[in-house]
Amino acid sequence: MNKKTRRRIRPLGIDYLPRPVGIGTQLAMKTYFSWRTPPGCDVMAEEWDLLVVLDGCRFDMFERQNWIDGDLSARTSVATATPEFLERTFGGKTYDDAVYVTANPMHRIDDWCSVDLDDVFHDVIDVWETDWDDDLGTLPPAAMAAATEAARDRYPDRRIITHFVQPHYPFIGPLGKRLDHGRMRGKQRAKGENSDEEEKPIWDALRDGTYSAEPVRQAYEENLWLVLPYVRELVDALDETIVVTSDHGNHIGEVVTPFPVRLFGHPPGIRTPALVNVPWLTVTGDRTKPHPPERESASHPPEEAPASGTDGGVRETPRSGDAEPSDSRVRSGPLVSVVIPTDHRNERLATAIESVLDQRYAPVEIIVVDDSGTGNARAVAERYDAEYVEHPERRGADRARTSGIEVADGKYVQLLDDDDRLHPEKLSSQVPLLERDPDVGVAFCGYASDEGARLPDPAARGDALRFGPTDRPISTMLISASVLDDLLPLRDRTGADDGGLRIEPDTGCEFDSLADALVYKGDA
C-alpha cells in the first residue's frame, strides 16, 4: 500500500503517534473487506437521464440529511476513492450517448487517474477550469448546477453525469471554514502549476488529534446540506429520471471491526461499509413538483446588485475579499434586515454572521443585539461591520429581537438565532414569495439539524396553524417588517420560549413556504 494509505490508518491506543499500522494488517484488512463486500454497482448499466455524483458521500449521512423526494436505497460502490471509481467504471469503455460534467480535475492528472475520459464520453465539460473558487480551494455547487442545466440545454438527447465535489472537503460552510485545513490542489496539478502550499487534508488533522471527530463530522454534513438545494434545483428544472449517488464514502476515525484500528478519509482498496455504501436516490420525471413555477434557478440568475460596497452594516455586494465564480451574481431586491440576538456565544455568533455574508442576495443589513449586559459581542459585531445594539442588562431573547426590529430599515426581517445558519440561497429564495403576493407576510422553509431534516407540508399554505408551529423555528421565517410593526414590542417569554412568536405574525396575514431545508438549526 502507498504512503497515503498508511497515513489513513492508526492502531487503537496510539492514534496520535506517527507509527503506522504494519503492512500485514493493511493487507489483511484489504482482503477481509473485499471478501465481505460485493464487487459494486455498474452505474452505467442503470436507467437514468441525469446521474448526480456527490463526491465522498456516505449513505448513512445522506439518509439522515436528505430531504429530496424519491426512492432511496443503498448501493455498493466499485471503489473507495475517485480515481478508482473512474477507472473501474469507465476504463476501456465508450459511452458516446453520455456527457460528463465535472467539478473534479482529478481525471486530468495522469499520475492520479489512468483513464482518459475524452476517449470515453461524447463530451467532457471541465467546469473547474472556468468556475474554480481559489479562496475556497474548490468549485462551489451553484456553479455546478448552472453548468449542468447548460449541458442539458446543449445536449438534450444524451445522458449526463454531473460530478459535484461536495460533500468532500474542502469545507465551504461557515462552520467548516473554521477548521484549519488545506484546499484541493487538483486544479494546479492538472494545469501543471507549481505551488508551495501543501494540501493538508482534513483527515490528517483528525488523525493527528488536531480536531476531534465531532467538528469534522459537523463540517462534513454541513457540506452535504449546502449542496442539496442545488441538487433539488436540478430535480425541479429537468423533467427526467435523475439518480443521486456517490463515488465513495469517508471514515471519520471510526474503529473498523474486527481490526483494532481507526480509519481516516478514504484509503484506497479497503472496502469497509462506510467507504462503499453509497446513496442511490431515484427521482422520476413525472412526479408532482411542490416548488412554485416562478422560482428562478442558478443558471438564470436575476439582475446583479450594484457594486456599492458596504455602509453601516448593509451589504450590497459579496465581501470584497471573496473570489466569486462566474454564476455567483447576487439577486437584488428590497433591503432585508437580519436581526441576531446573542448572549455570551461569540463563536456561534460569528458563524451565524458568516452565513449571512454568504447570502446570494443583496442588499442585507446585519444587526447584532447583545443581551449579555456586558458588551460581550461588541468585538464580533465590529469585526464584521455589523450594526451593534447593546443592552445594559439582560432582558431576554424577545426584548433583544424587539430592539433589533426597532432599528431595522429593511422591508423584510430575518430573525436569526445565533446558533443557527442560513443557506446561501435562503433570502434569494424567500424574498420572491413575499414580493409577488401582498397578502403574504411570512415565508418560511424547512430546516436541517444533526438529527436530520424537516420540511413544511407544501399543502399547508395560508394558515400557519395547519403546520405545527414547533416545526417552524424562527430562523426559518422571513417576515414583512409591516407585520412585525403591528406586534411590537414582542411579548416577554421565559428563556428561549418563542412558540408564540411563531404564530402571532401569521394572525394578520397569509404565509407561504418552500420545501427546502435552508436553515441549519443549532443544538441550543
Side-chain angles (χ1 to χ4, degrees), residues 342-422:
T342 188
D343 182 358
H344 284 100
R345 300 205 292 191
N346 284 359
E347 184 172 349
R348 295 187 182 190
L349 171 63
T351 302
I353 292 174
E354 288 173 9
S355 78
V356 179
L357 294 174
D358 286 341
Q359 290 299 297
R360 288 160 55 90
Y361 179 89
V364 174
E365 67 172 359
I366 302 173
I367 302 168
V368 172
V369 184
D370 187 349
D371 196 48
S372 67
T374 62
N376 181 263
R378 178 182 295 276
V380 178
E382 291 177 348
R383 184 196 320 163
Y384 294 102
D385 196 26
E387 185 169 351
Y388 179 72
V389 178
E390 180 182 351
H391 283 179
E393 58 185 17
R394 286 182 176 173
R395 297 177 180 174
D398 281 315
R399 287 198 180 185
R401 293 180 181 120
T402 296
S403 296
I405 295 168
E406 288 176 339
V407 302
D409 293 322
K411 182 178 180 180
Y412 303 116
V413 176
Q414 165 72 58
L415 300 175
L416 176 60
D417 289 346
D418 63 0
D419 60 335
D420 294 346
R421 286 160 273 154
L422 305 182

Side-chain angles (χ1 to χ4, degrees), residues 26 105 118 128 260 347 403:
Q26 297 175 39
D118 291 321
W128 55 269
E347 184 172 349
S403 296

Side-chain angles (χ1 to χ4, degrees), residues 226-383:
L226 288 168
V227 73
L228 283 177
Y230 299 106
V231 177
R232 172 58 177 270
E233 179 180 292
L234 295 175
V235 169
D236 287 343
L238 306 178
D239 187 16
E240 57 192 38
T241 298
I242 298 175
V243 167
V244 183
T245 188
S246 182
D247 49 353
H248 61 83
N250 271 309
H251 268 284
I252 313 177
E254 297 95 341
V255 177
V256 286
T257 306
F259 297 91
V261 301
R262 299 184 187 274
L263 287 188
F264 304 87
H266 50 97
I270 302 179
R271 295 177 56 79
T272 67
L275 295 186
V276 298
N277 288 352
V278 295
W280 190 268
L281 176 71
T282 303
V283 183
T284 55
D286 58 354
R287 75 212 174 287
T288 300
K289 300 182 179 67
H291 276 303
E294 295 87 344
R295 188 185 186 198
E296 299 181 34
S297 70
S299 62
H300 304 286
E303 180 182 355
E304 288 190 67
S308 304
T310 60
D311 182 31
V314 178
R315 183 176 65 90
E316 297 186 349
T317 63
R319 288 167 288 178
S320 58
D322 286 355
E324 289 296 315
S326 61
D327 85 311
S328 289
R329 292 175 288 177
V330 295
R331 180 194 297 272
S332 60
L335 176 64
V336 174
S337 301
V338 180
V339 176
I340 312 176
T342 188
D343 182 358
H344 284 100
R345 300 205 292 191
N346 284 359
E347 184 172 349
R348 295 187 182 190
L349 171 63
T351 302
I353 292 174
E354 288 173 9
S355 78
V356 179
L357 294 174
D358 286 341
Q359 290 299 297
R360 288 160 55 90
Y361 179 89
V364 174
E365 67 172 359
I366 302 173
I367 302 168
V368 172
V369 184
D370 187 349
D371 196 48
S372 67
T374 62
N376 181 263
R378 178 182 295 276
V380 178
E382 291 177 348
R383 184 196 320 163

Side-chain angles (χ1 to χ4, degrees), residues 127-197:
V127 187
W128 55 269
E129 287 192 310
T130 57
D131 291 289
W132 191 264
D133 187 317
D134 288 326
D135 285 346
L136 294 176
T138 187
L139 196 147
M144 274 302 291
T148 303
E149 291 189 50
R152 172 52 74 213
D153 290 340
R154 183 178 177 185
Y155 298 110
D157 299 322
R158 282 182 164 82
R159 297 201 293 173
I160 292 178
I161 303 169
T162 183
H163 191 150
F164 288 73
V165 173
Q166 294 76 30
H168 198 285
Y169 84 89
F171 300 132
I172 62 174
L175 188 66
K177 285 187 287 189
R178 291 185 169 277
L179 302 180
D180 182 18
H181 64 294
R183 307 158 184 167
M184 293 178 67
R185 313 312 305 171
K187 179 185 176 182
Q188 291 178 319
R189 290 286 298 273
K191 292 290 188 180
E193 300 171 355
N194 295 323
S195 174
D196 296 331
E197 183 179 353

Side-chain angles (χ1 to χ4, degrees), residues 432-444:
L433 299 182
L434 297 173
E435 283 287 283
R436 70 168 178 242
D437 187 345
D439 293 328
V440 174
V442 179
F444 68 97

